[in-house]
Amino acid sequence: MAFLEVKNLKKSFGSTKVLHGIDFSMEQGEVVAVIGASGGGKTTFLRCLNFLEIADEGTIEIDGGFSFNAEKKYTESEIREMILRMGLVFQSFNLFPQYTAFDNVFIPMKLRTVERHKKDKSFDLAAALEENRERARYLLCEVGLKDKMQNYPWQLSGGQQQRVAIARALAQNPDVLCFDEPTSALDPELTGEVLRVIKELKDKGCTMIVVTHEMEFARKVADRAIFFADGVIEEEGVPEKLFEHPTSPKTAAFLGHVNGSLNG
Amino acid sequence: MGFLEVTQALLDGLWNTFLIFALTLVLALPLGLVISFGSMSKIKPISYIVKFFVWIIRGVPLMLQVIIIYYVPGMLFGVPVLSRFVAVIVAFVINYACYFSEIYRGGIEGIPRGQYEAAQVLGMTKWETFRTVILMQVIKRILAPMGNEVITLVKDTALARVIMVVEIIQAAQNFAAYGLMWPLFYTAVFYLAFVGVLTLLFGYLEKKLSYYKV
Ligand SMILES: Nc1ncnc2c1ncn2[C@@H]1O[C@H](COP(=O)(O)OP(=O)(O)OP(=O)(O)O)[C@@H](O)[C@H]1O
Ligand SMILES: [Mg+2]
């Protein structure tokens, strides 16, 4: 079995069918870029992987992690266990405005530690929380925000906010980290710093799925690119190959359009 | 009748004004939250009924509500059921809870969905999300409209006199029987002081919360 295996994933909203049966798998440490036209279901796919939407049909499995089957009913806490295995970075950052960069990373960790301690008093809470603090500081340094830990989100640029969001998502040590157009809300001059962080995460062995319109980035960083169209994976392959020699006319049309709009 | 004597009488009236104000606030703030949850309920019949109720309460003058709550139970059962003061409190609490509920609702519904979703993917429970993420943002959002409503409440307490609960205006009017008008004008000083304190308090709170932006 692959590290992450998704089989026949389907999702509808009312009568709108959005995902028509996605089969997808990836290995640990792999970075997959997801491209596709607007409305193709990329966001919905990531939301299903992170259980913000519960798929109508299909399975999601992480080797040694969890196994989700849409036919089964899960309790809220079972879903939460699975959610914690996945990470999601949003297009719009969604930092908590009332907390500093440090607290944005630390508080979610703290809540989990406190919950764990309620069930199992055998470990030292204070020491565990100190470890959490240490981890929050470490992660913020990793994304290059050593000097911004005590700043509130409104005091940070978009690129800095997104890097806090990445540190926050990394804090729970997810098996797979998903990004939904992480640079689309940023001014062009700020996209570089976020993409650089993602590149560094790849070098550290982080397993990632990145929905992006940054073709250059996908080409350089992703091990594989998948092209989403109308709720199915239309085509996938090594980015170079997919971008240069698409076999599906839909892929070709999309790439032509993207390249066209880049050149024009 | 001297200045001190009048001041003393007005202060006695002010005490009732303050009691109506404080009791209404203490009871209507939590009740308003319950009502706002009702009006946001996903169970449609509940939200319709609650919204209908809020429409009635906000649509009828508070003065009329005070009169109804005091007299109607008495007319139905033949004897006065509530004391005058309790009737005032009941009417005020219901009325203000409805106004507060709309403010809460606006505050809660104004929180972007992304905040809930971010909390969810970080593994927070619903309660943790409310307590650690949503609450402070709601408080910040509702502070200004709440300030307005609370200041309105100070002045609405004067409506208690329609069922002869003696608050500060009524206390002043009692002097009119002796041909004294100035105590009535003098009450404005007390209202202004009361509202002044509240304005400072809300200003202070707003400043306290200015370290973040929502
Ligand atoms: N909660 C929802 N309710 C109803 N329809 C939805 C919902 N979420 C998404 N959709 C629909 O599902 C389709 C796919 O949306 P999705 O956001 O997954 O596409 P996308 O590939 O991420 O597009 P984009 O590139 O614009 O972000 C769209 O037609 C959208 O209108
Ligand atoms: Mg999308």
PDB file of all heavy atoms in Angstrom, chain B residues 48-80:
ATOM      1  N   TYR B  48     -37.366  30.099  13.459  1.00  0.00           N
ATOM      2  CA  TYR B  48     -38.513  30.928  13.052  1.00  0.00           C
ATOM      3  C   TYR B  48     -39.280  31.445  14.261  1.00  0.00           C
ATOM      4  O   TYR B  48     -39.636  32.629  14.326  1.00  0.00           O
ATOM      5  CB  TYR B  48     -39.454  30.130  12.135  1.00  0.00           C
ATOM      6  CG  TYR B  48     -38.879  29.877  10.761  1.00  0.00           C
ATOM      7  CD1 TYR B  48     -39.136  28.690  10.080  1.00  0.00           C
ATOM      8  CD2 TYR B  48     -38.064  30.831  10.134  1.00  0.00           C
ATOM      9  CE1 TYR B  48     -38.589  28.453   8.816  1.00  0.00           C
ATOM     10  CE2 TYR B  48     -37.510  30.595   8.887  1.00  0.00           C
ATOM     11  CZ  TYR B  48     -37.780  29.405   8.232  1.00  0.00           C
ATOM     12  OH  TYR B  48     -37.241  29.180   6.999  1.00  0.00           O
ATOM     13  N   ILE B  49     -39.529  30.552  15.208  1.00  0.00           N
ATOM     14  CA  ILE B  49     -40.291  30.966  16.391  1.00  0.00           C
ATOM     15  C   ILE B  49     -39.527  32.047  17.157  1.00  0.00           C
ATOM     16  O   ILE B  49     -40.097  33.071  17.548  1.00  0.00           O
ATOM     17  CB  ILE B  49     -40.577  29.745  17.308  1.00  0.00           C
ATOM     18  CG1 ILE B  49     -41.594  28.823  16.620  1.00  0.00           C
ATOM     19  CG2 ILE B  49     -41.102  30.206  18.672  1.00  0.00           C
ATOM     20  CD1 ILE B  49     -41.732  27.467  17.286  1.00  0.00           C
ATOM     21  N   VAL B  50     -38.234  31.820  17.335  1.00  0.00           N
ATOM     22  CA  VAL B  50     -37.432  32.790  18.078  1.00  0.00           C
ATOM     23  C   VAL B  50     -37.382  34.130  17.338  1.00  0.00           C
ATOM     24  O   VAL B  50     -37.538  35.190  17.952  1.00  0.00           O
ATOM     25  CB  VAL B  50     -36.002  32.242  18.333  1.00  0.00           C
ATOM     26  CG1 VAL B  50     -35.107  33.320  18.924  1.00  0.00           C
ATOM     27  CG2 VAL B  50     -36.058  31.039  19.266  1.00  0.00           C
ATOM     28  N   LYS B  51     -37.213  34.079  16.030  1.00  0.00           N
ATOM     29  CA  LYS B  51     -37.150  35.325  15.271  1.00  0.00           C
ATOM     30  C   LYS B  51     -38.491  36.072  15.323  1.00  0.00           C
ATOM     31  O   LYS B  51     -38.521  37.308  15.385  1.00  0.00           O
ATOM     32  CB  LYS B  51     -36.773  35.041  13.807  1.00  0.00           C
ATOM     33  CG  LYS B  51     -35.276  34.826  13.635  1.00  0.00           C
ATOM     34  CD  LYS B  51     -34.920  34.538  12.197  1.00  0.00           C
ATOM     35  CE  LYS B  51     -33.418  34.371  12.054  1.00  0.00           C
ATOM     36  NZ  LYS B  51     -33.067  33.684  10.813  1.00  0.00           N
ATOM     37  N   PHE B  52     -39.583  35.319  15.299  1.00  0.00           N
ATOM     38  CA  PHE B  52     -40.909  35.920  15.400  1.00  0.00           C
ATOM     39  C   PHE B  52     -41.055  36.628  16.755  1.00  0.00           C
ATOM     40  O   PHE B  52     -41.491  37.780  16.838  1.00  0.00           O
ATOM     41  CB  PHE B  52     -41.977  34.821  15.246  1.00  0.00           C
ATOM     42  CG  PHE B  52     -43.389  35.333  15.315  1.00  0.00           C
ATOM     43  CD1 PHE B  52     -43.941  36.018  14.229  1.00  0.00           C
ATOM     44  CD2 PHE B  52     -44.167  35.143  16.452  1.00  0.00           C
ATOM     45  CE1 PHE B  52     -45.248  36.496  14.290  1.00  0.00           C
ATOM     46  CE2 PHE B  52     -45.463  35.620  16.522  1.00  0.00           C
ATOM     47  CZ  PHE B  52     -46.009  36.296  15.436  1.00  0.00           C
ATOM     48  N   PHE B  53     -40.625  35.935  17.805  1.00  0.00           N
ATOM     49  CA  PHE B  53     -40.678  36.493  19.146  1.00  0.00           C
ATOM     50  C   PHE B  53     -39.844  37.772  19.244  1.00  0.00           C
ATOM     51  O   PHE B  53     -40.299  38.791  19.788  1.00  0.00           O
ATOM     52  CB  PHE B  53     -40.172  35.426  20.135  1.00  0.00           C
ATOM     53  CG  PHE B  53     -40.144  35.872  21.563  1.00  0.00           C
ATOM     54  CD1 PHE B  53     -41.318  35.978  22.298  1.00  0.00           C
ATOM     55  CD2 PHE B  53     -38.940  36.191  22.186  1.00  0.00           C
ATOM     56  CE1 PHE B  53     -41.292  36.395  23.614  1.00  0.00           C
ATOM     57  CE2 PHE B  53     -38.907  36.614  23.498  1.00  0.00           C
ATOM     58  CZ  PHE B  53     -40.088  36.718  24.209  1.00  0.00           C
ATOM     59  N   VAL B  54     -38.663  37.730  18.681  1.00  0.00           N
ATOM     60  CA  VAL B  54     -37.785  38.906  18.713  1.00  0.00           C
ATOM     61  C   VAL B  54     -38.434  40.068  17.960  1.00  0.00           C
ATOM     62  O   VAL B  54     -38.371  41.226  18.388  1.00  0.00           O
ATOM     63  CB  VAL B  54     -36.392  38.571  18.120  1.00  0.00           C
ATOM     64  CG1 VAL B  54     -35.547  39.835  17.937  1.00  0.00           C
ATOM     65  CG2 VAL B  54     -35.653  37.593  19.025  1.00  0.00           C
ATOM     66  N   TRP B  55     -39.089  39.740  16.855  1.00  0.00           N
ATOM     67  CA  TRP B  55     -39.772  40.777  16.067  1.00  0.00           C
ATOM     68  C   TRP B  55     -40.867  41.456  16.901  1.00  0.00           C
ATOM     69  O   TRP B  55     -40.988  42.680  16.922  1.00  0.00           O
ATOM     70  CB  TRP B  55     -40.378  40.139  14.813  1.00  0.00           C
ATOM     71  CG  TRP B  55     -41.259  41.053  14.025  1.00  0.00           C
ATOM     72  CD1 TRP B  55     -40.892  42.188  13.367  1.00  0.00           C
ATOM     73  CD2 TRP B  55     -42.673  40.908  13.822  1.00  0.00           C
ATOM     74  NE1 TRP B  55     -41.983  42.756  12.757  1.00  0.00           N
ATOM     75  CE2 TRP B  55     -43.087  41.992  13.014  1.00  0.00           C
ATOM     76  CE3 TRP B  55     -43.617  39.955  14.219  1.00  0.00           C
ATOM     77  CZ2 TRP B  55     -44.416  42.154  12.618  1.00  0.00           C
ATOM     78  CZ3 TRP B  55     -44.932  40.107  13.823  1.00  0.00           C
ATOM     79  CH2 TRP B  55     -45.324  41.203  13.034  1.00  0.00           C
ATOM     80  N   ILE B  56     -41.655  40.638  17.624  1.00  0.00           N
ATOM     81  CA  ILE B  56     -42.709  41.184  18.479  1.00  0.00           C
ATOM     82  C   ILE B  56     -42.112  42.113  19.540  1.00  0.00           C
ATOM     83  O   ILE B  56     -42.541  43.256  19.710  1.00  0.00           O
ATOM     84  CB  ILE B  56     -43.467  40.045  19.221  1.00  0.00           C
ATOM     85  CG1 ILE B  56     -44.122  39.087  18.235  1.00  0.00           C
ATOM     86  CG2 ILE B  56     -44.470  40.615  20.232  1.00  0.00           C
ATOM     87  CD1 ILE B  56     -45.441  39.532  17.698  1.00  0.00           C
ATOM     88  N   ILE B  57     -41.100  41.610  20.227  1.00  0.00           N
ATOM     89  CA  ILE B  57     -40.544  42.371  21.344  1.00  0.00           C
ATOM     90  C   ILE B  57     -39.887  43.664  20.865  1.00  0.00           C
ATOM     91  O   ILE B  57     -39.976  44.706  21.496  1.00  0.00           O
ATOM     92  CB  ILE B  57     -39.517  41.514  22.127  1.00  0.00           C
ATOM     93  CG1 ILE B  57     -40.207  40.305  22.755  1.00  0.00           C
ATOM     94  CG2 ILE B  57     -38.812  42.338  23.192  1.00  0.00           C
ATOM     95  CD1 ILE B  57     -41.228  40.621  23.819  1.00  0.00           C
ATOM     96  N   ARG B  58     -39.233  43.590  19.722  1.00  0.00           N
ATOM     97  CA  ARG B  58     -38.575  44.796  19.234  1.00  0.00           C
ATOM     98  C   ARG B  58     -39.551  45.738  18.542  1.00  0.00           C
ATOM     99  O   ARG B  58     -39.256  46.906  18.333  1.00  0.00           O
ATOM    100  CB  ARG B  58     -37.434  44.440  18.263  1.00  0.00           C
ATOM    101  CG  ARG B  58     -36.319  43.667  18.950  1.00  0.00           C
ATOM    102  CD  ARG B  58     -35.000  43.847  18.272  1.00  0.00           C
ATOM    103  NE  ARG B  58     -35.051  43.532  16.853  1.00  0.00           N
ATOM    104  CZ  ARG B  58     -34.076  43.817  16.003  1.00  0.00           C
ATOM    105  NH1 ARG B  58     -33.000  44.435  16.424  1.00  0.00           N
ATOM    106  NH2 ARG B  58     -34.187  43.489  14.739  1.00  0.00           N
ATOM    107  N   GLY B  59     -40.726  45.184  18.192  1.00  0.00           N
ATOM    108  CA  GLY B  59     -41.681  45.982  17.443  1.00  0.00           C
ATOM    109  C   GLY B  59     -42.663  46.755  18.304  1.00  0.00           C
ATOM    110  O   GLY B  59     -43.322  47.677  17.831  1.00  0.00           O
ATOM    111  N   VAL B  60     -42.763  46.367  19.575  1.00  0.00           N
ATOM    112  CA  VAL B  60     -43.741  47.005  20.467  1.00  0.00           C
ATOM    113  C   VAL B  60     -42.982  47.912  21.432  1.00  0.00           C
ATOM    114  O   VAL B  60     -41.932  47.527  21.937  1.00  0.00           O
ATOM    115  CB  VAL B  60     -44.530  45.918  21.251  1.00  0.00           C
ATOM    116  CG1 VAL B  60     -45.428  46.546  22.292  1.00  0.00           C
ATOM    117  CG2 VAL B  60     -45.310  45.044  20.286  1.00  0.00           C
ATOM    118  N   PRO B  61     -43.510  49.107  21.702  1.00  0.00           N
ATOM    119  CA  PRO B  61     -42.788  50.004  22.620  1.00  0.00           C
ATOM    120  C   PRO B  61     -42.568  49.347  23.981  1.00  0.00           C
ATOM    121  O   PRO B  61     -43.463  48.673  24.502  1.00  0.00           O
ATOM    122  CB  PRO B  61     -43.723  51.205  22.756  1.00  0.00           C
ATOM    123  CG  PRO B  61     -44.588  51.166  21.559  1.00  0.00           C
ATOM    124  CD  PRO B  61     -44.719  49.732  21.171  1.00  0.00           C
ATOM    125  N   LEU B  62     -41.400  49.567  24.529  1.00  0.00           N
ATOM    126  CA  LEU B  62     -41.076  48.990  25.829  1.00  0.00           C
ATOM    127  C   LEU B  62     -42.079  49.447  26.886  1.00  0.00           C
ATOM    128  O   LEU B  62     -42.471  48.675  27.768  1.00  0.00           O
ATOM    129  CB  LEU B  62     -39.642  49.390  26.215  1.00  0.00           C
ATOM    130  CG  LEU B  62     -39.131  48.948  27.584  1.00  0.00           C
ATOM    131  CD1 LEU B  62     -39.287  47.445  27.787  1.00  0.00           C
ATOM    132  CD2 LEU B  62     -37.661  49.343  27.755  1.00  0.00           C
ATOM    133  N   MET B  63     -42.508  50.689  26.769  1.00  0.00           N
ATOM    134  CA  MET B  63     -43.464  51.208  27.752  1.00  0.00           C
ATOM    135  C   MET B  63     -44.726  50.343  27.789  1.00  0.00           C
ATOM    136  O   MET B  63     -45.237  49.983  28.849  1.00  0.00           O
ATOM    137  CB  MET B  63     -43.841  52.651  27.410  1.00  0.00           C
ATOM    138  CG  MET B  63     -44.799  53.261  28.433  1.00  0.00           C
ATOM    139  SD  MET B  63     -45.475  54.820  27.847  1.00  0.00           S
ATOM    140  CE  MET B  63     -44.164  55.919  28.337  1.00  0.00           C
ATOM    141  N   LEU B  64     -45.182  49.967  26.598  1.00  0.00           N
ATOM    142  CA  LEU B  64     -46.371  49.132  26.499  1.00  0.00           C
ATOM    143  C   LEU B  64     -46.115  47.747  27.094  1.00  0.00           C
ATOM    144  O   LEU B  64     -46.965  47.167  27.772  1.00  0.00           O
ATOM    145  CB  LEU B  64     -46.777  49.014  25.027  1.00  0.00           C
ATOM    146  CG  LEU B  64     -48.154  48.449  24.718  1.00  0.00           C
ATOM    147  CD1 LEU B  64     -49.235  49.201  25.480  1.00  0.00           C
ATOM    148  CD2 LEU B  64     -48.407  48.516  23.216  1.00  0.00           C
ATOM    149  N   GLN B  65     -44.916  47.235  26.866  1.00  0.00           N
ATOM    150  CA  GLN B  65     -44.572  45.917  27.405  1.00  0.00           C
ATOM    151  C   GLN B  65     -44.577  45.931  28.936  1.00  0.00           C
ATOM    152  O   GLN B  65     -45.019  44.978  29.576  1.00  0.00           O
ATOM    153  CB  GLN B  65     -43.216  45.461  26.879  1.00  0.00           C
ATOM    154  CG  GLN B  65     -43.240  45.147  25.384  1.00  0.00           C
ATOM    155  CD  GLN B  65     -41.853  44.863  24.826  1.00  0.00           C
ATOM    156  OE1 GLN B  65     -40.994  44.336  25.512  1.00  0.00           O
ATOM    157  NE2 GLN B  65     -41.646  45.236  23.574  1.00  0.00           N
ATOM    158  N   VAL B  66     -44.072  47.023  29.504  1.00  0.00           N
ATOM    159  CA  VAL B  66     -44.070  47.139  30.964  1.00  0.00           C
ATOM    160  C   VAL B  66     -45.515  47.095  31.481  1.00  0.00           C
ATOM    161  O   VAL B  66     -45.838  46.371  32.425  1.00  0.00           O
ATOM    162  CB  VAL B  66     -43.383  48.454  31.406  1.00  0.00           C
ATOM    163  CG1 VAL B  66     -43.554  48.680  32.910  1.00  0.00           C
ATOM    164  CG2 VAL B  66     -41.906  48.435  31.036  1.00  0.00           C
ATOM    165  N   ILE B  67     -46.370  47.852  30.809  1.00  0.00           N
ATOM    166  CA  ILE B  67     -47.775  47.908  31.234  1.00  0.00           C
ATOM    167  C   ILE B  67     -48.440  46.536  31.101  1.00  0.00           C
ATOM    168  O   ILE B  67     -49.108  46.061  32.020  1.00  0.00           O
ATOM    169  CB  ILE B  67     -48.541  48.962  30.387  1.00  0.00           C
ATOM    170  CG1 ILE B  67     -48.004  50.363  30.735  1.00  0.00           C
ATOM    171  CG2 ILE B  67     -50.039  48.891  30.636  1.00  0.00           C
ATOM    172  CD1 ILE B  67     -48.510  51.459  29.820  1.00  0.00           C
ATOM    173  N   ILE B  68     -48.189  45.894  29.965  1.00  0.00           N
ATOM    174  CA  ILE B  68     -48.803  44.577  29.728  1.00  0.00           C
ATOM    175  C   ILE B  68     -48.347  43.579  30.788  1.00  0.00           C
ATOM    176  O   ILE B  68     -49.153  42.852  31.374  1.00  0.00           O
ATOM    177  CB  ILE B  68     -48.452  44.064  28.313  1.00  0.00           C
ATOM    178  CG1 ILE B  68     -49.194  44.899  27.254  1.00  0.00           C
ATOM    179  CG2 ILE B  68     -48.814  42.580  28.161  1.00  0.00           C
ATOM    180  CD1 ILE B  68     -48.753  44.635  25.826  1.00  0.00           C
ATOM    181  N   ILE B  69     -47.059  43.557  31.048  1.00  0.00           N
ATOM    182  CA  ILE B  69     -46.550  42.543  31.982  1.00  0.00           C
ATOM    183  C   ILE B  69     -47.046  42.801  33.396  1.00  0.00           C
ATOM    184  O   ILE B  69     -47.303  41.868  34.156  1.00  0.00           O
ATOM    185  CB  ILE B  69     -45.007  42.472  31.907  1.00  0.00           C
ATOM    186  CG1 ILE B  69     -44.654  41.783  30.587  1.00  0.00           C
ATOM    187  CG2 ILE B  69     -44.415  41.731  33.097  1.00  0.00           C
ATOM    188  CD1 ILE B  69     -43.219  41.487  30.357  1.00  0.00           C
ATOM    189  N   TYR B  70     -47.252  44.060  33.715  1.00  0.00           N
ATOM    190  CA  TYR B  70     -47.757  44.333  35.061  1.00  0.00           C
ATOM    191  C   TYR B  70     -49.257  44.047  35.176  1.00  0.00           C
ATOM    192  O   TYR B  70     -49.701  43.402  36.119  1.00  0.00           O
ATOM    193  CB  TYR B  70     -47.468  45.778  35.471  1.00  0.00           C
ATOM    194  CG  TYR B  70     -47.990  46.069  36.860  1.00  0.00           C
ATOM    195  CD1 TYR B  70     -47.543  45.315  37.949  1.00  0.00           C
ATOM    196  CD2 TYR B  70     -48.934  47.069  37.086  1.00  0.00           C
ATOM    197  CE1 TYR B  70     -48.027  45.547  39.227  1.00  0.00           C
ATOM    198  CE2 TYR B  70     -49.425  47.311  38.355  1.00  0.00           C
ATOM    199  CZ  TYR B  70     -48.971  46.545  39.421  1.00  0.00           C
ATOM    200  OH  TYR B  70     -49.450  46.777  40.679  1.00  0.00           O
ATOM    201  N   TYR B  71     -50.038  44.499  34.193  1.00  0.00           N
ATOM    202  CA  TYR B  71     -51.500  44.431  34.349  1.00  0.00           C
ATOM    203  C   TYR B  71     -52.138  43.140  33.844  1.00  0.00           C
ATOM    204  O   TYR B  71     -53.100  42.668  34.424  1.00  0.00           O
ATOM    205  CB  TYR B  71     -52.160  45.622  33.648  1.00  0.00           C
ATOM    206  CG  TYR B  71     -51.920  46.914  34.375  1.00  0.00           C
ATOM    207  CD1 TYR B  71     -51.044  47.865  33.871  1.00  0.00           C
ATOM    208  CD2 TYR B  71     -52.570  47.178  35.592  1.00  0.00           C
ATOM    209  CE1 TYR B  71     -50.799  49.047  34.553  1.00  0.00           C
ATOM    210  CE2 TYR B  71     -52.341  48.365  36.270  1.00  0.00           C
ATOM    211  CZ  TYR B  71     -51.455  49.299  35.748  1.00  0.00           C
ATOM    212  OH  TYR B  71     -51.224  50.456  36.423  1.00  0.00           O
ATOM    213  N   VAL B  72     -51.595  42.581  32.747  1.00  0.00           N
ATOM    214  CA  VAL B  72     -52.304  41.457  32.129  1.00  0.00           C
ATOM    215  C   VAL B  72     -52.402  40.221  33.025  1.00  0.00           C
ATOM    216  O   VAL B  72     -53.498  39.665  33.177  1.00  0.00           O
ATOM    217  CB  VAL B  72     -51.726  41.119  30.730  1.00  0.00           C
ATOM    218  CG1 VAL B  72     -52.292  39.809  30.191  1.00  0.00           C
ATOM    219  CG2 VAL B  72     -52.046  42.265  29.771  1.00  0.00           C
ATOM    220  N   PRO B  73     -51.334  39.790  33.689  1.00  0.00           N
ATOM    221  CA  PRO B  73     -51.503  38.633  34.581  1.00  0.00           C
ATOM    222  C   PRO B  73     -52.546  38.915  35.654  1.00  0.00           C
ATOM    223  O   PRO B  73     -53.353  38.039  35.995  1.00  0.00           O
ATOM    224  CB  PRO B  73     -50.112  38.459  35.198  1.00  0.00           C
ATOM    225  CG  PRO B  73     -49.193  39.113  34.240  1.00  0.00           C
ATOM    226  CD  PRO B  73     -49.953  40.260  33.648  1.00  0.00           C
ATOM    227  N   GLY B  74     -52.582  40.130  36.138  1.00  0.00           N
ATOM    228  CA  GLY B  74     -53.571  40.509  37.143  1.00  0.00           C
ATOM    229  C   GLY B  74     -54.994  40.404  36.602  1.00  0.00           C
ATOM    230  O   GLY B  74     -55.897  39.915  37.275  1.00  0.00           O
ATOM    231  N   MET B  75     -55.186  40.856  35.341  1.00  0.00           N
ATOM    232  CA  MET B  75     -56.509  40.787  34.732  1.00  0.00           C
ATOM    233  C   MET B  75     -56.932  39.344  34.532  1.00  0.00           C
ATOM    234  O   MET B  75     -58.113  39.000  34.667  1.00  0.00           O
ATOM    235  CB  MET B  75     -56.500  41.520  33.379  1.00  0.00           C
ATOM    236  CG  MET B  75     -56.597  43.042  33.543  1.00  0.00           C
ATOM    237  SD  MET B  75     -55.852  43.967  32.175  1.00  0.00           S
ATOM    238  CE  MET B  75     -56.789  43.340  30.805  1.00  0.00           C
ATOM    239  N   LEU B  76     -55.961  38.476  34.226  1.00  0.00           N
ATOM    240  CA  LEU B  76     -56.298  37.070  33.986  1.00  0.00           C
ATOM    241  C   LEU B  76     -56.617  36.344  35.281  1.00  0.00           C
ATOM    242  O   LEU B  76     -57.516  35.513  35.337  1.00  0.00           O
ATOM    243  CB  LEU B  76     -55.132  36.350  33.282  1.00  0.00           C
ATOM    244  CG  LEU B  76     -54.869  36.792  31.842  1.00  0.00           C
ATOM    245  CD1 LEU B  76     -53.682  36.032  31.260  1.00  0.00           C
ATOM    246  CD2 LEU B  76     -56.109  36.563  30.980  1.00  0.00           C
ATOM    247  N   PHE B  77     -55.869  36.633  36.342  1.00  0.00           N
ATOM    248  CA  PHE B  77     -56.030  35.882  37.588  1.00  0.00           C
ATOM    249  C   PHE B  77     -56.781  36.655  38.657  1.00  0.00           C
ATOM    250  O   PHE B  77     -57.000  36.155  39.752  1.00  0.00           O
ATOM    251  CB  PHE B  77     -54.660  35.445  38.127  1.00  0.00           C
ATOM    252  CG  PHE B  77     -53.903  34.606  37.147  1.00  0.00           C
ATOM    253  CD1 PHE B  77     -52.793  35.106  36.490  1.00  0.00           C
ATOM    254  CD2 PHE B  77     -54.322  33.305  36.863  1.00  0.00           C
ATOM    255  CE1 PHE B  77     -52.104  34.331  35.577  1.00  0.00           C
ATOM    256  CE2 PHE B  77     -53.632  32.529  35.945  1.00  0.00           C
ATOM    257  CZ  PHE B  77     -52.515  33.035  35.296  1.00  0.00           C
ATOM    258  N   GLY B  78     -57.141  37.888  38.341  1.00  0.00           N
ATOM    259  CA  GLY B  78     -57.961  38.648  39.266  1.00  0.00           C
ATOM    260  C   GLY B  78     -57.193  39.344  40.361  1.00  0.00           C
ATOM    261  O   GLY B  78     -57.709  40.253  40.992  1.00  0.00           O
ATOM    262  N   VAL B  79     -55.962  38.935  40.600  1.00  0.00           N
ATOM    263  CA  VAL B  79     -55.158  39.611  41.618  1.00  0.00           C
ATOM    264  C   VAL B  79     -53.829  40.020  40.986  1.00  0.00           C
ATOM    265  O   VAL B  79     -53.380  39.376  40.051  1.00  0.00           O
ATOM    266  CB  VAL B  79     -54.850  38.676  42.817  1.00  0.00           C
ATOM    267  CG1 VAL B  79     -56.089  38.513  43.696  1.00  0.00           C
ATOM    268  CG2 VAL B  79     -54.340  37.332  42.332  1.00  0.00           C
ATOM    269  N   PRO B  80     -53.203  41.085  41.477  1.00  0.00           N
ATOM    270  CA  PRO B  80     -51.882  41.431  40.954  1.00  0.00           C
ATOM    271  C   PRO B  80     -50.917  40.284  41.229  1.00  0.00           C
ATOM    272  O   PRO B  80     -50.852  39.768  42.350  1.00  0.00           O
ATOM    273  CB  PRO B  80     -51.487  42.670  41.761  1.00  0.00           C
ATOM    274  CG  PRO B  80     -52.744  43.160  42.386  1.00  0.00           C
ATOM    275  CD  PRO B  80     -53.643  41.988  42.537  1.00  0.00           C
TER     276      PRO B  80
END
